[in-house]
Structure formats: C-alpha cells, structure tokens
C-alpha cells in the first residue's frame, strides 16, 4: 500500500504532466489526520490556453477516426483501470477519506464500467434514414467539439470517467477540472487514457477552484459544459453556459425521499436507509435523507436502525479494509454538517443516534439519526451532504407523496413496500430523476442517472447520455427538380 500519491505535476495537458507554480497553491489535506499530503497549483491563463488549444486540435483527429477504434481506446483504458484498481482506490481513499472497502468496489471500477459501456457503444452511434414520399432525408450524429467537465469532491475518479466516457465515445475532446478539494484521481485517468492510445490533448486536466471553471466555460472554443456540483454552483454555471449558447449537463444536489410503507420488509428498508444515508459517510448526492415511515412500523424501524448503527459501524483508518465508515472530506464540510445537527436539535427533532463529532483525530462525524422531523425543519429542507438521516412520520400514501414532492430538489427517490402495484404507482407520482423500488442508491452504468427540477438537466450513463454529447445534422435529399412558386 506504499504508493506515493503525489502527482508528477498539477495538470495533465497535451499528453503530459504540466506544472506552472505561478498558479495559486492548493494543498491536498488528508481527512484522517488533517495533514497536507500533496500540493497542486491552480491553472494559470497559459495552462488553460494550452489545454483548450490542444483539446481543439486533438478533437478533430479523434472525430475522424473509425468509431470502433475510438471505442477500443476507451475499453483499453477500462482494462488498465481494473488492473490498477487497488492503487487507484488507495489514491481515492487518501484524497477523499472514503474507506478502501468502498473505493475498491465503487469508485475507479464504476469509472471503468462507464469506459467499457461507452466504448462498446461508440461504433453503434448512427443517424437515421427518414422516408419523405419520393424524397428522403437522413441524419448524421456529430460530436459537439470541446467539452468541459467540472467535478465535485465525493467521487472524483468516477465523476471524471462518467463525463469523459460518453464525451470521447461521441468524438469529442474534454478539458476536465476536478474539485479543488480532491484534485488527484482525474490526473490518473488522463495518464491512463494516453497509455490506452488516446491522442495527446484529447483529455486534459487542469486544476483550480471556481474561477478556473468559469474561465473554461467562457471560452468560445467550448461547446458543452458538464458540471457535477451543488445547486447554487449549477445555477451560476448554467447561466454562464447559456450566455455562450453552450450545451449543458447539470448533475446537482438533492434532498431525496425514501417512503417506507407499513407492509415493507422492515429489515430491508433499514438496509436501504443505511445505504442511502451513511455510505461514503453520507456524502452522496442521491442520498435518501428524508425517510418517511408509515406510523404502523415507525418504532420498529427506528429501533432496528439504531441497533444496526450501534453494532455495524466500523470507524477508522480508511486504508484498513475492516473500516466501513470514514471522515468528512474536509474540516469545512465537517463544520457544515455539525451546524445542521445543531439546527436539528434546536428545532426540536428527537436524536436517536450519533449527534456530533467523533472523539478521534480527523474530520469524523457520527452517523446521526433524527426522528419526529417535520417538513418545515431546516434538516428536512436543505441538502446537508453528510451523515444525517431524518425520519418523518406519515399516515397515508397521497400525503406522503405530496410531502416527498414538496421540495425544489428532484434527484432521486425510493419506495419500500411489498405491494408492487403501490411501488409503481408511487414512483409514477414522485418527481425525481432516478427511483428505486425496494432498493436504494444502485447506479449501474446501463441506467440513466440525473435529476429533475433544481437537481439537474440532462442524464449521465445509459444510452441516454449519448444525446447529451452529440448533435444531429439533418440532410434533405431531393430525388427530383426543385419547385418554387415563381
Ligand atoms: N447529481 C450528481 O450526480 C452529483 C454527484 C456528486 C455530487 N453532487 C453534488 O455536489 C455537491 C458537493 O460537491 P461540491 O461541494 O464540490 O460542489 P460545488 O458546487 O461547491 O463545486 C462543484 C465544482 O464546481 C466548481 N465551481 C464552483 N463555482 C464555479 C463557477 N462559478 N464556475 C465553474 N465552476 C465552478 C468547483 O470548483 C467544483 O469543481 C453536492 O451538492 C452534491 O449533491 C451531485
Ligand atoms: C452518482 N452517485 C450516486 C454514484 C454519486 C453521487 O454523489
């Protein structure tokens, strides 16, 4: 496990590591010790220019290749990621604080899944023939050009892959800016794509905070922006992209509901609530942080939830594979989460488990459960992005659905019931981009993922993502002479 996680340089541009120490230093802080474990510099205007210029040049050659050859590069990159999964997972665990037991199965590997999936689709992307009586038309599916990807800090490698894979499969180039909190994983992806045969410049990584992202979006060479981040950032990025009439994908925050009906398998519902609130220490966009539990099973549900948190959580060094619960990514995130826990107490929610910082080094917050939460409480309305689960009571289905929908967010939702007709009926009424029945937070690459309302625009994964990284050219073919009125 003694991998040196320090990158060769801050950026990866035109096929190689690039440094420019004139950029603002960005320390990489280990969430378990609070120590600086690496340092990168924000991209200067010169680095940004090289990244965009080399991406523009590489895109033209890449788009001219046989699609199946493009797909083969992506599939080779997936194979390299799988071979190097342990090394990449250790890197991800050190960058984010997430336990290795998670990163080994859910981070780089899910990125490899996307590269495999879109690598396989690359050769199947076509237009269509449209009969028009005697005349006819056809469509050509074309790439957009240079795309910008901007990432959040909770799944750094997965996010980079989920954006790069469909973009490159469609014949685009990408300049990716990781979150300034977790800058390392995307650099590895850039190296691996080159090793797999991608032309230099096709996938560049530049570091920095919002201003670097804003500079990329403002550039006229950029055709599309795909952001994973919070709703406030999404609104700013969407507005900036609209000013340049650019395509967007917005993967934003949520305050998702899980509805647990009296007829549900309680143990399974508790499992879903744990998975949907405490995996990655609660730092997952689609988490089901508002758990609506029907009154008949509420006390049993709470009892089992508290028991399983008491006996099941193993907190500790993320690199110890027995650990299943890590710290918050940063001190700042820990303070935000602790502030919400305090608000929950102040506003009268009943604390069932956790409730504060853990007495150990690092940014650990105990898995926290509040019961008797009402719809108007701050912890029921705002995205916390940490391990805080709110249990809300309900009596009847229509009331639960109306309350579940009464939010500006619409990323995801879950339903636990043994009545499958009810499961489908409720899902049809929920305003959310991704729903699960008797499961939670499973996001296989085959299934489109994304939000409605303020939670996002567009979809990642599934064949649907292709629509967001390509455009159609329509061609009308006349079989006879042209006809004019005069
Ligand atoms: N829907 C999804 O798929 C998904 C997945 C993971 C995380 N998220 C969301 O991400 C958020 C947590 O991540 P975060 O704290 O890094 O989010 P954030 O909004 O603070 O930052 C996201 C990214 O946007 C960049 N950025 C900030 N301002 C910008 C600007 N004006 N122009 C361009 N780029 C700018 C940041 O540097 C960062 O790289 C949560 O809200 C979470 O729900 C969503
Ligand atoms: C997209 N997902 C759910 C895997 C991680 C979001 O934070």
């Amino acid at each position: 496990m003694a991998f040196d996680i320090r990158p060769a340089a801050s950026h990866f541009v035109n096929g190689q590591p690039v440094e420019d120490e004139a950029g603002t230093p960005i320390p990489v802080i280990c969430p378990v010790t609070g120590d600086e474990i690496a340092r990168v510099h924000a991209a200067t205007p010169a680095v940004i220019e090289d990244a965009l210029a080399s991406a523009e040049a590489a895109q033209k050659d890449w788009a001219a290749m046989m699609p199946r050859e493009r797909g083969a590069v992506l599939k080779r990159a997936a194979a390299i990621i799988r071979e190097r999964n342990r090394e990449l997972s250790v890197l991800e665990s050190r960058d984010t604080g997430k336990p290795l037991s998670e990163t080994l199965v859910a981070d780089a590997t899910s990125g490899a899944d996307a590269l495999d999936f879109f690598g396989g689709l690359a050769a199947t992307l076509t237009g269509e023939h449209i009969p028009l009586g005697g005349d006819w038309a056809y469509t050509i599916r074309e790439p957009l050009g240079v795309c910008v990807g901007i990432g959040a800090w909770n799944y750094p490698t997965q996010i980079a892959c989920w954006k790069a894979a469909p973009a490159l499969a469609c014949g685009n180039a990408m300049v990716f800016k990781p979150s300034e909190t977790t800058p390392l994983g995307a650099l590895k992806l850039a190296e691996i794509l080159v090793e797999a045969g991608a032309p230099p410049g096709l996938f560049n990584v530049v570091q920095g905070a919002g201003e670097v992202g804003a500079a990329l979006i403002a550039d006229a060479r950029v055709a599309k922006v795909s952001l994973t981040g919070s709703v406030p950032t999404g609104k700013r990025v969407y507005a900036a992209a609209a000013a340049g009439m650019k395509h967007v994908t917005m993967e934003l925050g949520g305050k998702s509901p899980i509805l647990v009906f009296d007829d549900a398998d309680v143990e399974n519902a508790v499992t879903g609530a744990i998975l949907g609130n405490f995996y990655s220490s609660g730092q997952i966009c689609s988490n089901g942080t508002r758990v609506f539990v029907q009154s008949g099973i509420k006390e049993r549900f709470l009892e089992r939830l508290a028991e399983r948190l008491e006996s099941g959580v193993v907190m500790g060094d993320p690199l110890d594979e027995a650990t299943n619960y890590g710290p918050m990514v940063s001190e700042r995130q820990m303070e935000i989460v602790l502030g919400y826990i305090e608000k929950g107490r102040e506003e009268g929610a009943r604390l069932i488990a956790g409730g504060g910082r853990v007495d150990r080094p690092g940014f650990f917050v105990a898995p926290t459960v509040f019961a008797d939460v009402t719809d108007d409480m701050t912890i029921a309305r705002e995205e916390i992005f940490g391990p805080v689960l709110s249990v809300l009571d309900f009596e009847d289905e229509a009331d639960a659905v109306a309350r579940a929908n009464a939010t500006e967010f619409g990323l995801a939702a879950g339903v636990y019931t043994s009545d499958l007709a009810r499961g489908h009926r409720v899902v049809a009424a929920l305003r959310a981009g991704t729903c699960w029945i008797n499961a939670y937070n499973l996001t296989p690459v085959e299934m489109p993922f994304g939000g409605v309302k303020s939670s996002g625009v567009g979809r990642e994964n599934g064949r649907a993502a292709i629509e967001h990284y390509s455009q159609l050219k329509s061609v009308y073919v006349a079989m006879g002479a042209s006809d004019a009125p005069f």
Side-chain angles (χ1 to χ4, degrees):
M1 293 242 192
F3 301 114
D4 185 358
I5 66 154
R6 283 170 303 176
S10 297
H11 320 287
F12 194 94
V13 174
N14 205 12
Q16 54 194 350
V18 166
E19 192 54 87
D20 184 349
E21 293 190 356
T24 310
I26 302 175
V28 183
I29 304 296
C30 171
V32 185
T33 60
D35 297 336
E36 181 173 320
I37 51 174
R39 174 174 284 233
V40 296
H41 292 87
T44 55
V47 171
I48 293 173
E49 173 54 32
D50 287 349
L52 289 168
S54 62
E56 191 183 33
Q59 191 268 329
K60 292 188 172 47
D61 295 340
W62 180 248
M65 274 167 68
M66 286 291 282
R68 95 173 104 78
E69 289 169 4
R70 294 203 301 258
V73 170
L74 301 188
K75 283 172 159 285
R76 273 198 297 278
I80 297 170
I81 287 177
R82 293 192 206 285
E83 274 162 30
R84 289 174 57 182
N85 182 38
R86 179 160 288 269
E87 173 202 341
L88 297 171
S89 301
V90 168
L91 180 95
E92 196 80 327
S93 284
R94 296 207 63 199
D95 208 8
T96 62
K98 296 198 292 183
L100 192 58
S101 58
E102 271 191 31
T103 52
L104 279 172
V105 297
D107 290 74
T109 53
S110 81
D113 290 347
L115 290 159
D116 263 334
F117 179 79
F118 289 105
L121 280 187
T124 74
L125 306 177
T126 57
E128 62 178 344
H129 168 262
I130 303 164
L132 299 170
D135 292 350
W136 55 285
Y138 63 97
T139 57
I140 305 171
R141 186 167 293 280
E142 296 185 333
L144 302 175
V146 176
C147 302
V148 162
I150 299 177
W153 43 257
N154 63 335
Y155 277 81
T157 303
Q158 179 192 86
I159 289 170
C161 291
W162 283 19
K163 296 189 187 309
L168 303 193
C170 290
N172 303 288
M174 177 165 274
V175 178
F176 186 81
K177 188 201 82 63
S179 164
E180 59 274 31
T181 309
T182 52
L184 305 180
L187 290 169
K188 289 287 173 197
L189 174 63
E191 268 172 46
I192 288 170
L193 279 164
V194 168
E195 190 183 332
L202 187 71
F203 181 75
N204 292 326
V205 174
V206 298
Q207 308 291 351
E211 55 277 13
V212 172
L216 291 169
I217 298 164
D219 195 280
R221 286 165 288 190
V222 171
K224 151 132 197 163
V225 182
S226 176
L227 169 77
T228 295
S230 61
V231 171
T233 300
K235 288 180 178 171
R236 280 196 291 277
V237 168
Y238 202 175
M245 207 60 86
K246 296 169 201 279
H247 297 250
V248 295
T249 297
M250 294 282 147
E251 289 288 345
L252 308 177
K255 191 74 199 173
S256 301
I258 301 178
L259 279 58
V260 183
F261 287 91
D262 276 347
D263 62 359
D265 174 335
V266 173
E267 210 54 40
N268 196 38
V270 168
T271 302
I274 288 174
L275 191 62
N277 279 276
F278 302 121
Y279 202 68
S280 295
S281 303
Q283 302 164 114
I284 295 187
C285 53
S286 46
N287 272 358
T289 49
R290 292 182 296 145
V291 184
F292 292 87
V293 184
Q294 207 163 12
S295 54
I297 55 163
K298 187 184 103 181
E299 289 311 322
R300 174 91 187 116
F301 180 91
L302 287 172
E303 192 184 312
R304 283 301 294 143
L305 186 56
E307 282 167 7
R308 287 186 49 187
L309 290 179
E310 179 70 32
S311 63
V313 176
V314 183
M315 234 176 265
D317 177 0
L319 296 188
D320 177 347
E321 281 185 56
T323 299
N324 62 19
Y325 188 87
M328 300 293 95
V329 74
S330 63
E331 187 167 15
R332 177 167 175 269
Q333 190 61 19
M334 177 184 73
E335 294 301 342
I336 290 171
V337 175
L338 292 174
Y340 276 110
I341 292 175
E342 208 36 55
K343 268 265 180 245
R345 280 205 180 87
E346 279 167 24
E347 293 181 6
R350 174 162 60 107
L351 188 67
I352 300 287
R357 189 172 179 177
V358 178
D359 185 18
R360 56 176 303 136
F363 312 135
F364 286 85
V365 175
T368 296
V369 177
F370 282 110
D372 303 340
V373 176
T374 52
D375 299 341
D376 56 335
M377 288 182 186
T378 308
I379 56 171
R381 289 186 290 106
E382 296 183 11
E383 184 183 43
I384 299 174
F385 218 54
V388 183
L389 182 163
S390 293
V391 175
L392 302 94
D393 308 346
F394 77 94
E395 295 295 336
D396 76 279
E397 182 183 309
D399 172 52
V401 169
R403 290 166 59 203
N405 283 338
T407 165
E408 73 158 312
F409 300 105
L411 188 57
V415 181
Y416 279 85
T417 176
S418 57
D419 176 352
L420 279 185
R422 170 165 31 211
H424 292 291
R425 183 172 67 236
V426 169
V427 155
L430 286 169
R431 296 191 62 204
T434 305
C435 295
W436 295 273
I437 299 175
N438 294 328
Y440 205 79
N441 256 357
L442 304 179
T443 54
V445 67
E446 295 82 356
M447 187 171 98
F449 180 84
V452 301
K453 299 196 279 180
S454 290
S455 288
V457 175
R459 292 291 176 268
E460 292 194 319
N461 287 348
R463 224 186 148 84
I466 294 304
E467 298 300 329
H468 303 290
Y469 284 98
S470 60
Q471 58 197 343
L472 294 177
K473 176 182 281 172
S474 297
V475 183
Y476 187 107
V477 182
M479 300 303 285
S482 296
D483 182 20
F486 52 85

